[in-house]
Amino acid sequence: MNFVDEARLRVVAGDGGDGCAAFLREAYRPKGGPSGGDGGDGGSVYAIADEGENTLLDLRSKRAIKAERGEDGRGKHQHGKKGSDVFLRVPVGTVFVDDETGQIVADMTEHAQVALLARGGVGGRGNARFATATHQAPRRADPGTPGVQREVRLELRLLADAGLVGLPNAGKSSLLARVSAARPKIADYPFTTLAPVLGVVRWADDKTFVLADIPGLIEGAHEGLGLGDRFLRHIQRTAVLVHLIDASGCSAERAVADFDTVQHELHAYGEDLGARPLLLVATKMDLPGAVEQLPELRRLLGARGHQVYAISAATGQGCRELLRAIGGAVDQRRIAAAALGQSERDQSSHA
Ligand SMILES: Nc1nc2c(ncn2[C@@H]2O[C@H](COP(=O)(O)OP(=O)(O)OP(=O)(O)O)[C@@H](O)[C@H]2O)c(=O)[nH]1
Ligand SMILES: [Mg+2]
């Protein structure tokens, strides 16, 4: 089962810069004092929680996050510059675990929360710091201390944005496997999927949503028949339901009747599932039977005001367009939810 989005990273803070050992040598001051400046502190690596981030997908391609080293001190009392810090943006809900100790390093629960992942090293002192009344020409200068390095595991509990529903064998798992990195079991018998599987789908350069594949629904599912009902709660919070219809082996009328069965189960389950935005998808378009039935299916469902997408998980045909439609619906819902949250915040601040 894959309810968790994961990534692994090495976070490397910058080392402190070295202190400098130097003496002033000026024409008019032949025996100048110690003038070595301190090294700058190394930059630290921080995590920052950001509502605008939804997955850890972008971080998976990264190996290490490094902050800058502090600059070395120089002569004439010049201190080295501090290395810049790095802020790693992660979705709210991300937990950082130290890979070696298993300890939780940071638990990002709130928007804009900042947590230290690796502290930068401290700059070394220059020799100017070591001068005393009795020891006026110290040669000692300290090296900077190393920055902290650690391997961290990032974990994010996923909530599905979109849910795949349909009869057993409709091709739900095949679609999820086609469009995400999830690898659900696929087979030509009903109830192949026994538990929900989630996958992260990238549908544009900087846009993703989480798609849930749940076991197939059959008549009586809301009363506990089959398996699907137990998992309907996993799609309760989705922005959109994607209903897959396989017409490759039956008539369009039969496919519509099957569609009604599943819709009836969703309505009967309650929780507003029946009223959820819905996308209809005819599957297995690489098979001649499906191609033959598509026009009639579109006519029958079109008469009820439904648009029907057509895809093949086998060839990928139509998938891109479908993902754009799902992504658009998910986006709309997020925008509406953000606006609702804002107006609630406004109201409570007026109260
Ligand atoms: N030719 C063809 N076969 C497909 C396509 N999509 C799915 N199948 C086949 O249909 C069968 C069922 O696919 P699944 O993806 O397991 O269906 P499911 O809806 O997840 O089924 P359950 O988990 O039992 O509810 C498998 O044999 C798949 O290989 C497709 O686009 N083209
Ligand atoms: Mg399945």
Side-chain angles (χ1 to χ4, degrees), residues 163-196:
L164 295 172
V165 296
L167 287 186
N169 258 335
K172 300 178 292 298
S173 303
S174 302
L175 175 58
L176 183 71
R178 158 65 70 174
V179 300
S180 79
R183 288 292 164 261
K185 190 173 170 196
I186 294 166
D188 62 354
Y189 51 82
F191 303 119
T192 309
T193 301
L194 301 175

Side-chain angles (χ1 to χ4, degrees), residues 12 43-47 65-68 83-88 115 117:
V12 183
S44 299
V45 180
Y46 294 92
I65 305 288
K66 290 185 185 164
E68 212 175 33
S84 314
D85 296 327
V86 172
F87 290 85
L88 183 65
L117 299 177

